[in-house]
Amino acid sequence: MDDFFADRFRDETYADDEPVHVFRADQYGSADQGLWVPERLWARLRLVAAAYELRLLPILDGTSDPVFLNAVQVSTLLEELRFIGQILSDPLVESLVRALVDLAAGRSQVASKDSIGIEFP
């Protein structure tokens, strides 16, 4: 790979990005828990999903804040994340997908009817 683009695969490239906060809305405890995803990596995930004509991820674009997903939507999110994780050879996206799948597949404490919350910058 050309060194000119190598920074796209380094965490530090995105260190100053505004974060997208993805968290479990159905668990007790601090809302600060969850994942803080650099905005450009979230965009990469969404745009790949859009390129493959997936339904949910492309619409999670930050035009409304926050977004809460119910159990059915989380199931769709998991399917889409797993698909992207299988087709992409991008270590940052692969790591992000694993973390998001772990978060989304977590057990509910039924603190809310919604399962996942997403707050955009």
Side-chain angles (χ1 to χ4, degrees):
M1 176 183 313
D2 191 342
D3 286 340
F4 185 76
F5 298 108
D7 66 327
R8 275 38 171 219
F9 301 101
R10 289 190 216 115
D11 285 324
E12 61 269 12
T13 301
Y14 308 97
D16 294 329
D17 278 22
E18 289 288 326
V20 174
H21 184 207
V22 184
F23 60 95
R24 291 299 301 227
D26 61 353
Q27 294 182 355
Y28 296 102
S30 171
D32 289 339
Q33 296 175 357
L35 299 173
W36 298 90
V37 180
E39 188 174 26
R40 288 183 287 167
L41 288 182
W42 184 262
R44 186 180 303 177
L45 193 63
R46 281 188 334 89
L47 293 171
V48 167
Y52 284 94
E53 301 174 9
L54 304 182
R55 295 181 317 191
L56 183 61
L57 273 168
I59 64 172
L60 301 175
D61 60 2
T63 56
S64 62
D65 196 16
V67 172
F68 291 92
L69 305 178
N70 63 35
V72 173
Q73 292 166 319
V74 170
S75 178
T76 299
L77 177 67
L78 281 167
E79 289 172 5
E80 292 182 7
L81 288 169
R82 288 178 177 134
F83 172 75
I84 290 170
Q86 290 174 357
I87 62 166
L88 241 95
S89 178
D90 178 334
L92 289 178
V93 171
E94 289 171 8
S95 176
L96 174 58
V97 164
R98 277 192 304 275
L100 288 168
V101 165
D102 287 347
L103 178 81
R107 190 172 174 168
S108 173
Q109 294 176 345
V110 195
S112 167
K113 66 178 177 57
D114 298 312
S115 298
I116 297 289
I118 305 169
E119 295 176 311
F120 301 97

